[in-house]
Amino acid sequence: MAGRRALILAGTGMLSGVAETLVRQGWLVVLPCRRYHPIAVPEPKPEPKQGVAAVKALRARGHRPTATAAAGCFETGRALWVEARWDRPRELAGKAETALRGPADLMVAWVHDQYRRSVLGACERLLAPGAPVVEVRQAGGPPIEPEPVLAAHPTQLVLVGTMSEIDDARPLCHTELANAIGGAVTRAVDGHATSLHQVGHSRPLVR
């Protein structure tokens, strides 16, 4: 997966696990959001012959990389945070385009209902033709099967409930959620067709 680009659209830290996994697999990951959230990926150690100035030169101004690579390439993977707001979708897309430096091979989005359509619509042009999308939403709403926002792209649609499927007496836990979204990302990258999945129940089951 070295050299591939991913655009992650989510609130600060909400999809950090996905970002960490992709970076470790060699992806360039761009994360537009309001606040900076570090991605826990160890930085590669500089070559012994590099001096302090050379190491500092790897940390370009303008974005805040959370895992660095040599200038002009990202074989070891890295994440770039871009300061952006959901209520300014065109500006967000422009900043993300600059950071990506090429068409994105994957989009993972968990955006509030109010902004989802405008933000994903503005960012669609950043995707490579046929690039997969993982779209995460809260379960609930009208009793009809939801449709992906970007119909032209194969989409893994993940609906998130509130109660655990393992123990319906407790809320959905982070591990269950992370596994479900991670599985959707794997299906997307593997080229699966559009599909719908739900993790967790929408409400406590009536006994």
Side-chain angles (χ1 to χ4, degrees):
M1 297 183 186
R4 303 184 75 178
R5 300 172 172 87
L7 176 62
I8 294 185
L9 303 168
T12 303
M14 289 177 62
L15 293 176
S16 58
V18 172
E20 291 169 14
T21 298
L22 291 174
V23 169
R24 291 182 187 280
Q25 293 174 346
W27 290 69
L28 168 65
V29 179
V30 173
L31 305 104
C33 58
R34 182 175 295 186
R35 293 183 295 276
Y36 173 68
H37 179 81
I39 302 300
V41 178
E43 294 190 7
K45 295 181 179 180
E47 294 295 328
K49 293 183 180 180
Q50 288 182 310
V52 174
V55 174
K56 288 183 177 180
L58 295 176
R59 295 171 170 82
R61 300 181 64 181
H63 299 291
R64 295 181 67 172
T66 55
T68 57
C73 61
F74 41 92
E75 286 80 358
T76 58
R78 63 172 170 170
L80 294 175
W81 169 71
V82 178
E83 185 175 11
R85 297 168 57 103
W86 302 135
D87 56 358
R88 299 176 184 174
R90 292 183 181 178
E91 179 181 302
L92 180 152
K95 290 182 176 181
E97 182 177 25
T98 300
L100 283 166
R101 295 179 295 150
D105 303 290
L106 170 69
M107 175 192 288
V108 185
W110 192 353
V111 180
H112 191 278
D113 292 355
Q114 179 181 355
Y115 303 111
R116 182 187 303 119
R117 193 164 295 277
S118 61
V119 170
L120 270 64
C123 292
E124 183 174 14
R125 65 181 180 81
L126 307 183
L127 292 171
V133 174
V134 175
E135 187 182 336
V136 184
R137 304 180 189 176
Q138 290 298 129
I144 57 175
E145 185 168 311
E147 296 290 335
V149 172
L150 304 182
H153 293 265
T155 301
Q156 302 300 312
L157 189 55
V158 181
L159 302 183
V160 179
T162 56
M163 306 303 293
S164 171
E165 295 178 347
I166 300 173
D167 178 358
D168 55 35
R170 65 170 175 78
L172 183 72
C173 73
H174 174 76
T175 300
E176 292 173 84
L177 179 57
N179 288 342
I181 297 176
V185 171
T186 298
R187 290 192 299 273
V189 173
D190 287 345
H192 287 219
T194 295
S195 61
L196 173 65
H197 303 268
Q198 179 164 337
V199 55
H201 301 295
S202 299
R203 60 182 65 85
L205 297 177
V206 178
R207 295 185 181 278

